[in-house]
């Protein structure tokens, strides 16, 4: 009788664990997506502004004799500033590295979820309880270790992950 109660308790803990690590995985992978997208946007913006700056400077040199050279100079200056700003921003926030970090973190939690699902299956179908409890304790320790390495995701990533999660539960 005691073993049945212990087994049911272990199964409930495993279910909660699966939900917890699944939620963490979803948030981390969503944040990774945002950084990948931001990296692409920054890259295309740098290329676009650099091309426009070069074209503006060439236009300025060609129209030196006309009355539009002040406007061309201002446009070139603004485009040059935008190019410099985006270059500095993308170096400051290395979006690709951040994306990789969040994706790797997400994969660790996905792996934990898969292991916990397997453990839950074993707990339901009469695996020896002592071994299961030991395995579950190891997984809890890994979750603590992985959680301590996590960076804080944005509120936007949390909200998007929550919407995705609600869509699945309907």
């Amino acid at each position: 009788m005691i073993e049945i109660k212990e087994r049911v308790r272990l199964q409930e803990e495993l279910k909660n664990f699966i939900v917890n690590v699944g939620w963490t995985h979803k948030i981390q992978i969503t944040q990774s997506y945002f950084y990948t997208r931001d990296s692409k946007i920054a890259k295309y913006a740098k290329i676009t502004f650099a091309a426009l700056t070069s074209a503006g400077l060439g236009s300025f040199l060609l129209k030196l004799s006309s009355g539009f050279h002040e406007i061309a100079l201002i446009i070139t200056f603004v485009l040059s500033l935008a190019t410099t700003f985006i270059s500095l921003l993308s170096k400051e926030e290395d979006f690709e590295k951040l994306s990789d970090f969040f994706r790797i973190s997400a994969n660790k939690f996905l792996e934990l979820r898969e292991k916990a699902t397997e453990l839950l299956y074993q707990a339901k179908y009469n695996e020896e309880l002592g071994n299961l409890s030991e395995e579950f304790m190891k997984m809890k320790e890994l979750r603590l270790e992985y959680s301590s390495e996590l960076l804080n995701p944005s509120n936007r990533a949390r909200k998007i992950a929550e919407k995705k999660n609600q869509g699945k539960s309907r």
Side-chain angles (χ1 to χ4, degrees):
M1 186 68 158
I2 292 174
E3 186 175 313
I4 292 173
K5 286 182 180 181
E6 186 64 23
R7 186 174 297 279
V8 169
R9 184 197 59 75
L10 179 62
Q11 289 174 4
E12 285 304 311
E13 274 191 65
L14 278 164
K15 287 177 188 176
N16 290 333
F17 184 88
I18 291 168
V19 168
N20 180 276
V21 296
W23 175 242
T24 303
H25 167 263
K26 187 168 292 282
I27 292 172
Q28 296 294 306
I29 204 69
T30 302
Q31 187 66 54
S32 173
Y33 163 77
F34 285 141
Y35 281 126
T36 298
R37 189 199 62 198
D38 292 348
S39 174
K40 287 178 183 176
I41 290 170
K43 188 185 311 179
Y44 293 134
K46 274 195 292 190
I47 292 168
T48 302
F49 284 126
L52 289 173
T53 301
S54 296
L57 187 58
S59 171
F60 169 71
L61 292 174
L62 289 174
K63 295 189 179 204
L64 240 152
S65 60
S66 70
F68 297 106
H69 71 281
E70 288 92 10
I71 294 171
L73 181 61
I74 291 170
I75 290 171
T76 303
F77 175 73
V78 169
L79 291 173
S80 180
L81 270 178
T83 304
T84 303
F85 176 75
I86 290 171
S87 293
L88 290 174
L89 176 68
S90 65
K91 286 180 182 173
E92 184 66 32
E93 291 259 358
D94 193 345
F95 297 123
E96 288 180 20
K97 285 182 183 175
L98 286 168
S99 176
D100 289 345
F101 179 84
F102 276 95
R103 189 174 8 81
I104 289 167
S105 296
N107 288 340
K108 288 179 181 179
F109 281 88
L110 178 62
E111 188 177 309
L112 275 178
R113 186 181 76 191
E114 295 302 317
K115 287 179 182 177
T117 302
E118 177 64 26
L119 209 57
L120 179 60
Y121 177 83
Q122 291 172 5
K124 279 189 166 192
Y125 297 104
N126 297 328
E127 184 75 21
E128 192 174 315
L129 202 56
N131 292 340
L132 294 176
S133 292
E134 279 181 40
E135 282 298 311
F136 187 45
M137 287 304 294
K138 289 177 187 175
M139 288 172 46
K140 286 169 137 180
E141 289 170 8
L142 274 177
R143 179 181 61 181
L144 285 174
E145 179 185 326
Y146 295 162
S147 293
S148 70
E149 298 169 355
L150 293 177
L151 297 176
N152 289 328
S154 66
N155 286 332
R156 187 175 84 199
R158 284 190 177 108
K159 288 177 185 175
I160 297 293
E162 187 175 338
K163 285 180 184 177
K164 287 180 182 178
N165 202 37
Q166 288 173 351
K168 279 189 172 182
S169 62
R170 290 182 183 167

